[in-house]
Amino acid sequence: MPRPKRCRRICGYPDHWSFVPEGTEITETIPFTLDEYETIRLIDYQKLTQEECASAMCVSRATVTSIYENARYKLADAMVNGKRIRITGGSYRIDSIPASAEINEKGDNIMRIAVTYENEMVGQHFGRTEQFKIYDIADGEIKSAQIIDTNGTGHGALAGFLRAAEVETLICGGIGMGARKALDEAGIELLPGAAGNADEVVKDYLAGKLVYDPDTECHHHDHEHGEGHDCHHGHGCGEHGCR
């Protein structure tokens, strides 16, 4: 029986999630995991040694070598053969979102929906949500659901987490403009202004009966930090303090 993979620590989510060659018809997409991305970022961009990379990712040098070699081959394959690269998933953890390591792998032909979650209800403040409930949908029905702790880490990190988890649609209550932008950049459909029991809300969505308000905004601003920090606390993308 193979040993389970040890989760690799990564500093944060990438700003760009896919890369497409120009002037060619895309016939194949290469999945590039977040731990592979991190080895490229640390070794090729940050110029760390493999030993330093292994220390930063909390794994062995041999593990880093294996991940890095796979990543470099995928990059070469994409460049030589004109394939698209899509960053997603992998065996990883982010310190600000410990539950990042707990997300189930998304299966084929599955639609994934996330709901801000608080005491079985739709949470009303996206940037401060401490839990998501993530639903996997097939044939118009809920096949599985998973509650994930987020620690309320701020809209940038939460949007990155949802993107890495391959969430396609987010249902929530209040949400600020910064979070809207982060979700839009991550390519996640947003359905704000929803309320009620989370399971029932998802069932209403699947039945085409979801009541929501696309113009809903969160007005709980953090005035000490200005409007750019409405409806969240903690650091966002690009402020992880990692080298």
Side-chain angles (χ1 to χ4, degrees), residues 118-138:
E118 185 176 356
N119 298 323
E120 300 186 359
M121 309 296 281
V122 176
Q124 293 302 301
H125 308 293
F126 171 80
R128 293 178 181 172
T129 189
E130 295 189 359
Q131 290 184 320
F132 286 116
K133 191 165 185 178
I134 296 178
Y135 300 81
D136 283 353
I137 311 298

Side-chain angles (χ1 to χ4, degrees), residues 142-197:
I142 298 172
K143 296 301 182 183
S144 65
Q146 182 180 13
I147 297 172
I148 295 292
D149 294 322
T150 71
N151 290 349
T153 50
H155 65 243
L158 293 177
F161 167 73
L162 293 174
R163 176 64 179 80
E166 299 186 277
V167 167
E168 299 162 59
T169 300
L170 171 71
I171 299 173
C172 66
I175 186 166
M177 292 305 297
R180 285 174 177 269
K181 181 179 179 181
L183 291 167
D184 182 64
E185 291 174 348
I188 296 171
E189 178 187 24
L190 174 63
L191 303 176
N197 179 273

Side-chain angles (χ1 to χ4, degrees), residues 14-161:
D15 293 326
H16 310 284
W17 293 86
S18 65
F19 301 88
V20 182
E22 293 183 359
T24 183
E25 182 177 346
I26 306 302
T27 59
E28 186 176 345
T29 297
I30 298 174
F32 205 82
T33 62
L34 281 159
D35 48 345
E36 290 171 338
Y37 164 83
E38 187 71 349
T39 62
I40 295 294
R41 188 184 74 83
L42 292 175
I43 297 172
D44 289 340
Y45 183 72
Q46 296 284 355
K47 303 299 183 182
L48 270 61
T49 65
Q50 290 194 18
E51 289 87 350
E52 291 169 331
C53 179
S55 177
M57 295 179 69
C58 300
V59 294
S60 69
R61 159 74 185 273
T63 296
V64 160
T65 298
S66 177
I67 298 169
Y68 181 61
E69 288 179 351
N70 286 338
R72 291 293 295 267
Y73 178 80
K74 289 180 178 181
L75 289 175
D77 187 17
M79 293 178 67
V80 171
N81 297 306
K83 297 178 181 178
R84 171 198 227 181
I85 289 176
R86 180 171 63 90
I87 301 174
T88 184
S91 181
Y92 74 95
R93 66 177 175 85
I94 293 180
D95 290 348
S96 62
I97 306 180
S100 57
E102 299 176 11
I103 190 69
N104 294 330
E105 185 175 352
K106 181 170 172 258
D108 294 335
N109 303 315
I110 292 291
M111 176 185 183
R112 182 162 281 174
I113 299 171
V115 178
T116 50
Y117 191 72
E118 185 176 356
N119 298 323
E120 300 186 359
M121 309 296 281
V122 176
Q124 293 302 301
H125 308 293
F126 171 80
R128 293 178 181 172
T129 189
E130 295 189 359
Q131 290 184 320
F132 286 116
K133 191 165 185 178
I134 296 178
Y135 300 81
D136 283 353
I137 311 298
D139 300 321
E141 297 181 352
I142 298 172
K143 296 301 182 183
S144 65
Q146 182 180 13
I147 297 172
I148 295 292
D149 294 322
T150 71
N151 290 349
T153 50
H155 65 243
L158 293 177
F161 167 73

